[in-house]
Amino acid sequence: MEIIAHPREMQEQARRWREEGRRIAFVPTMGYFHQGHLSLMEYAREIGDRLVVSLFVNPTQFGPTEDLDRYPRDLERDTRLAEEVGVDVLFTPAAEQMYPPGYQTYVTVNGLSQGLCGASRPGHFRGVATVVLKLFNLVMPHVAVFGEKDYQQLVVIKRMVSDLNLPVEVVGCPIVREEDGLAMSSRNTYLNPEERWSARCLYRSLQAAQQLVADGKKTREEILSTVQQIISQTPHTRIDYVALVDPETLQEVAAVQGAARLALAVWVGHTRLIDNTLLVET
Ligand code: AMP
């Protein structure tokens, strides 16, 4: 595995591979790998013949009071894990190279970026869309793999790719969970043991919603009130949002008709966790 830190060098490698007719698969990450990241890499390795993983804690997607400075990092361990999965290039640019002095270009995906996480994290998806477009221009992937864990992000990126005619196929992969159902996240390391115990309520509430739909209770009121009740009864939690939305437009829906996404963000102590699931009418 090669580690490339310089954007220009990454682009040159990508160009060489393209000239050789290689199919480049790409997984963008912020590092501190867990099984969720590794599952994306394993999938991407199967659908391309060169695999690039970027590791970049992107400052433009963090708000001024968010956790940019304390975001967990372990380059040594990440390097070992990426190598074990069969990554060809680990791309680790520095913030100064991605955003040199004078930088002033941003991508905004209107509408889709506004609700859900966008409402409580203004500017977040502008930072995400901008860095992903920059990374696409450097890595020149044929296919890019994202997790459904960050469901709104996946929808925003698909919209950007379609709207800007980018020659990249975007693929979503299922959420990987801990044994007790908590969605894996680098931010789970912030939780103390009591908070970690409380954090199980996110998935428990999603499961309860799935059961409601299976029992024919499909209205937004029934689903949201059950989810809110389960979470608010759990110590150390504070709901940021719970929403039932159309899986493509992310607009709120009145009931599960066909399919809907149930998405939530919950503060557990000082840590904001997100999760979501697809609810399907049976
Ligand atoms: P991050 O490093 O948190 O920015 O995540 C990098 C990529 O991994 C994104 O596409 C995430 O959606 C994906 N990801 C993070 N956690 C999980 C998980 N538990 N299951 C599946 N994909 C995940």
Side-chain angles (χ1 to χ4, degrees):
M1 185 178 78
E2 200 182 345
I3 299 182
I4 297 182
H6 204 282
R8 177 69 63 197
E9 227 177 279
M10 179 70 248
Q11 209 171 36
E12 277 162 12
Q13 175 62 272
R15 191 166 289 134
R16 280 196 296 277
W17 281 338
R18 282 201 165 240
E19 278 165 12
E20 293 166 11
R22 303 296 181 191
R23 180 173 163 84
I24 304 172
F26 177 43
V27 180
T29 82
M30 299 205 299
Y32 211 72
F33 296 151
H34 49 66
Q35 197 52 48
H37 295 116
L38 301 181
S39 73
L40 303 187
M41 296 178 206
E42 280 158 10
Y43 181 72
R45 195 187 50 197
E46 299 305 315
I47 56 173
D49 45 27
R50 288 294 181 270
L51 172 55
V52 179
V53 172
S54 64
L55 195 170
F56 180 57
V57 183
N58 172 38
T60 64
Q61 71 188 68
F62 287 79
T65 61
E66 293 184 351
D67 56 343
L68 173 63
D69 292 337
R70 65 182 192 117
Y71 196 83
R73 293 158 217 249
D74 189 342
L75 182 58
E76 213 171 289
R77 179 171 172 276
D78 285 352
T79 303
R80 182 166 50 74
L81 291 173
E83 194 145 30
E84 281 169 16
V85 175
V87 172
D88 293 294
V89 166
L90 187 64
F91 177 42
T92 60
E96 300 72 42
Q97 281 163 341
M98 292 294 274
Y99 302 107
Y103 188 92
Q104 49 190 282
T105 306
Y106 294 89
V107 182
T108 306
V109 179
N110 280 320
L112 289 174
S113 297
Q114 277 160 16
L116 308 176
C117 288
S120 36
R121 304 186 71 188
H124 171 67
F125 289 110
R126 180 178 97 134
V128 169
T130 301
V131 80
V132 170
L133 179 57
K134 284 172 67 67
L135 290 168
F136 282 0
N137 286 331
L138 295 170
V139 176
M140 296 195 258
H142 295 81
V143 58
V145 180
F146 293 81
E148 288 183 351
K149 159 87 187 335
D150 300 88
Y151 186 74
Q152 187 176 13
Q153 167 173 284
L154 175 62
V155 175
V156 165
I157 297 301
K158 281 186 172 166
R159 186 81 249 166
M160 174 183 78
V161 163
S162 166
D163 287 355
L164 298 182
N165 310 96
L166 304 179
V168 184
E169 182 191 342
V170 173
V171 180
C173 280
I175 301 174
V176 177
R177 300 180 177 283
E178 302 286 354
E179 255 176 43
D180 63 3
L182 178 64
M184 289 193 182
S185 165
S186 308
R187 290 191 167 100
N188 292 348
T189 53
Y190 296 152
L191 303 170
N192 69 30
E194 276 182 31
E195 292 164 349
R196 174 63 187 78
W197 181 255
S198 291
R200 296 174 314 146
C201 74
L202 278 78
Y203 186 56
R204 274 186 25 235
S205 72
L206 297 181
Q207 282 181 308
Q210 277 162 348
Q211 189 58 53
L212 281 180
V213 174
D215 295 342
K217 296 179 180 148
K218 294 179 281 193
T219 68
R220 155 193 192 76
E221 288 70 31
E222 287 168 312
I223 293 168
L224 297 194
S225 66
T226 299
V227 168
Q228 282 159 350
Q229 199 180 348
I230 291 172
I231 295 169
S232 54
Q233 282 170 353
T234 308
H236 313 295
T237 65
R238 181 166 57 82
I239 293 174
D240 180 4
Y241 68 80
V242 181
L244 185 68
V245 298
D246 178 280
E248 275 153 39
T249 65
L250 304 184
Q251 293 296 306
E252 305 259 2
V253 294
V256 179
Q257 280 175 318
R261 272 278 158 183
L262 176 61
L264 44 82
V266 177
W267 286 94
V268 180
H270 296 293
T271 306
R272 186 174 171 281
L273 301 178
I274 58 171
D275 204 344
N276 71 85
T277 194
L278 186 68
L279 297 179
V280 184
E281 203 180 14
T282 45

